[in-house]
Amino acid sequence: MSTKTTLSIDTNAVTELSRSKQEPEWMTALRTEGVALANSLELPILEKTRIDRWSISAYGSYKEQATLSSLDALPEVTKGLTSSGNLIVQRNSGIVFNQVSEELKKQGVIFTDLETAVREHGDLVKPYFMKAVQSNENQLTALHAALWNGGIFIYVPKNVVVDIPLQALFVADDAEATFAPHVLIVAEQFSSVTYVDNFVSSVGGADLVQNGIVEVFAKPGSRVSYSSIHSLEASVTDLTYRRAILEDDSRIGWVVGELNYGNSMSDTTSILKGKGSDSDAKVICVGTHEQKLNLTTRAVHWGKASTSDMITRAVMRDSSTAIINGITKIEKGAQGCNGQQTEKVLMLSPKARGDANPILLIDEDDVKAGHAASVGQVNAEQVHYLMSRGITKEEAQRLIIYGFLAPVVSVIPVKSVEEQLQSLVERKLGQ
């Protein structure tokens, strides 16, 4: 069943805001078109999820943000989430902190906020912005095209290897301010980059929508590692599309931690266009209370001999609900492909619900494809075995849960991020 919501977005206000930011005409036109599309398109149709029943209209309005001289001025919820080095911070509608090393600049790498990049590097932004995820896909993508703010732009020149991870922090602490970051990464031929971001909020129980989009373009032979941890409050609805376009022999590594407390929808997709391209996606989520989650991980194979691997782990407690979709699509002509996926859900409460849906769509004969899925509770025999070795029941359950999540947590490329993810998981599980 299709769904549609009534929106109150002023086209003139969007156009004037774009011009006040001194955005080029092509961006102003794209925003204006986004408003028109948002008023005509329907919401995305999600598997077993009525997103129209969620709080998805609390977009607020654009609010200019004052820059910060110190990270100490950020809300308490951000403490421990930043590291020294290359860091950009978005607070609500705008960028408030930007620290980029001279060494990075000397390499020709561009690491800046997207609003600045649109003005100063439009020739690099225009060919890619809203091209992996398009404005006309549904109402959410159209709204994002119209309202996006702040954001991150990363451009890595040919043959450049960025050794130090680039980090972004997205903070919402004003529910009346639009919060719609856009991350755009372009990795040229034989380049390599690692990017990490965190999403946190402190809005005091007020309703807010995070409508974010990530676009990654990996040119031939390039390597992109993308890690993202979302830990937004229960009153924040998180709607995120992530999409990578992979050319010959390029690789994307996704590590996603969906640790929000509110209703969440995410779609993480790799389009393997090139021969020998590779995608590795690892996702974990923890559901608590009445939370509703709908998470999709997808790999679409077009290039010959392309490979994909997807691992999703979900831990559900209380009365939370999760729909976990893994989709491997192998198109006609993509000979020699190998697509594998695994979805597992661990339920800690009889009222919790988790659906694991592995889907293989194969239009070519000469391929390998496989899937595995399971939904169950903590194994009583495993708990009993650990207790027989002198471990308490609570500690035994804890060890089993972290063993369940280990295939994702243990492969995070940045140690500090791995520790953050572990800490956030413990917090959500009340341990």
Side-chain angles (χ1 to χ4, degrees):
M1 183 179 69
S2 61
T3 55
K4 189 174 180 180
T5 58
T6 302
L7 302 165
S8 56
I9 300 176
D10 189 329
T11 303
N12 292 331
V14 169
T15 301
E16 289 304 313
L17 178 60
S18 179
R19 289 174 177 162
S20 71
K21 293 182 179 182
Q22 299 182 326
E23 293 180 343
E25 283 301 319
W26 64 265
M27 179 58 74
T28 303
L30 190 150
R31 288 188 183 275
T32 303
E33 180 188 30
V35 176
L37 289 170
N39 285 302
S40 61
L41 294 174
E42 297 174 340
L43 291 167
I45 300 174
L46 304 181
E47 182 78 17
K48 300 179 183 179
T49 302
R50 290 291 302 274
I51 191 174
D52 57 313
R53 295 178 178 176
W54 294 7
S55 176
I56 55 172
S57 60
Y59 277 92
S61 57
Y62 177 84
K63 287 189 176 184
E64 191 170 348
Q65 303 294 307
T67 58
L68 301 179
S69 58
S70 170
L71 296 175
D72 294 335
L74 290 171
E76 185 68 25
V77 70
T78 67
K79 304 307 178 186
L81 296 181
T82 59
S83 59
S84 59
N86 300 294
L87 171 68
I88 295 176
V89 180
Q90 176 170 340
R91 187 177 192 177
N92 303 311
S93 301
I95 302 300
V96 296
F97 186 86
N98 190 326
Q99 178 177 281
V100 181
S101 69
E102 288 300 320
E103 179 183 355
L104 200 66
K105 296 176 183 178
K106 289 178 181 178
Q107 289 181 290
V109 176
I110 300 172
F111 178 44
T112 186
D113 64 276
L114 186 55
E115 290 187 357
T116 297
V118 166
R119 294 191 301 269
E120 299 181 0
H121 306 285
D123 57 326
L124 294 176
V125 175
K126 185 178 179 180
Y128 303 104
F129 184 82
M130 296 301 294
K131 294 298 191 296
V133 180
Q134 299 187 349
S135 307
N136 61 4
E137 292 187 20
N138 57 59
Q139 189 182 93
L140 299 182
T141 60
L143 276 170
H144 179 90
L147 302 176
W148 76 269
N149 48 48
I152 299 293
F153 178 65
I154 298 173
Y155 176 81
V156 188
K158 181 179 179 180
N159 296 325
V160 171
V161 176
V162 181
D163 296 320
I164 301 174
L166 309 182
Q167 184 181 8
L169 176 61
F170 299 100
V171 187
D173 64 349
D174 182 353
E176 296 180 355
T178 304
F179 188 49
H182 189 108
V183 178
L184 176 58
I185 299 176
V186 179
E188 292 287 5
Q189 195 171 11
F190 302 116
S191 66
S192 178
V193 65
T194 296
Y195 168 81
V196 176
D197 66 33
N198 289 80
F199 281 70
V200 294
S201 67
S202 179
V203 294
D207 288 342
L208 176 66
V209 173
Q210 191 287 128
N211 183 336
I213 284 180
V214 174
E215 298 182 290
V216 178
F217 294 86
K219 299 302 179 67
S222 63
R223 300 287 183 267
V224 178
S225 176
Y226 194 111
S227 299
S228 185
I229 302 174
H230 288 221
S231 183
L232 300 166
E233 295 164 281
S235 62
V236 181
T237 300
D238 190 356
L239 310 170
T240 302
Y241 285 95
R242 306 178 187 93
R243 199 166 297 171
I245 307 296
L246 307 174
E247 299 187 21
D248 291 355
D249 298 312
S250 63
R251 185 181 191 278
I252 179 76
W254 299 104
V255 177
V256 178
E258 301 286 6
L259 301 177
N260 296 310
Y261 289 81
N263 294 340
S264 304
M265 181 283 297
S266 79
D267 185 310
T268 304
T269 297
S270 296
I271 309 295
L272 297 108
K273 289 179 60 178
K275 180 180 179 180
S277 54
D278 176 66
S279 170
D280 184 277
K282 292 181 170 60
V283 180
I284 71 168
C285 71
V286 178
T288 56
H289 303 298
E290 304 291 331
Q291 188 178 11
K292 294 177 175 57
L293 306 169
N294 188 293
L295 311 179
T296 297
T297 311
R298 181 187 288 105
V300 182
H301 294 256
W302 291 92
K304 295 181 179 180
S306 54
T307 59
S308 67
D309 188 35
M310 299 181 288
I311 295 177
T312 304
R313 296 284 190 272
V315 178
M316 311 302 295
R317 57 177 292 185
D318 306 321
S319 299
S320 57
T321 301
I323 307 299
I324 309 295
N325 300 309
I327 303 173
T328 302
K329 178 73 167 73
I330 300 180
E331 303 289 351
K332 184 67 176 176
Q335 294 101 342
C337 290
N338 187 352
Q340 304 295 326
Q341 57 168 284
T342 304
E343 294 83 41
K344 292 187 177 182
V345 181
L346 184 64
M347 294 184 291
L348 306 182
S349 165
K351 294 184 179 180
R353 178 186 172 187
D355 287 354
N357 306 307
I359 301 170
L360 299 178
L361 305 171
I362 313 298
D363 289 333
E364 180 57 55
D365 295 329
D366 180 21
V367 299
K368 294 180 181 179
H371 64 74
S374 67
V375 178
Q377 298 179 338
V378 174
N379 190 306
E381 292 184 0
Q382 292 178 342
V383 174
H384 178 74
Y385 173 81
L386 291 172
M387 290 176 65
S388 71
R389 295 299 185 269
I391 298 175
T392 65
K393 181 178 181 180
E394 291 74 16
E395 181 64 14
Q397 290 178 332
R398 178 180 179 275
L399 290 172
I400 292 169
I401 291 169
Y402 291 123
F404 176 79
L405 298 175
V408 177
V409 177
S410 62
V411 299
I412 293 177
V414 183
K415 186 64 177 178
S416 61
V417 178
E418 178 184 344
E419 294 171 351
Q420 291 168 14
L421 184 57
Q422 188 84 0
S423 175
L424 291 170
V425 168
E426 290 179 359
R427 186 186 306 172
K428 278 214 76 174
L429 293 174
Q431 297 174 340

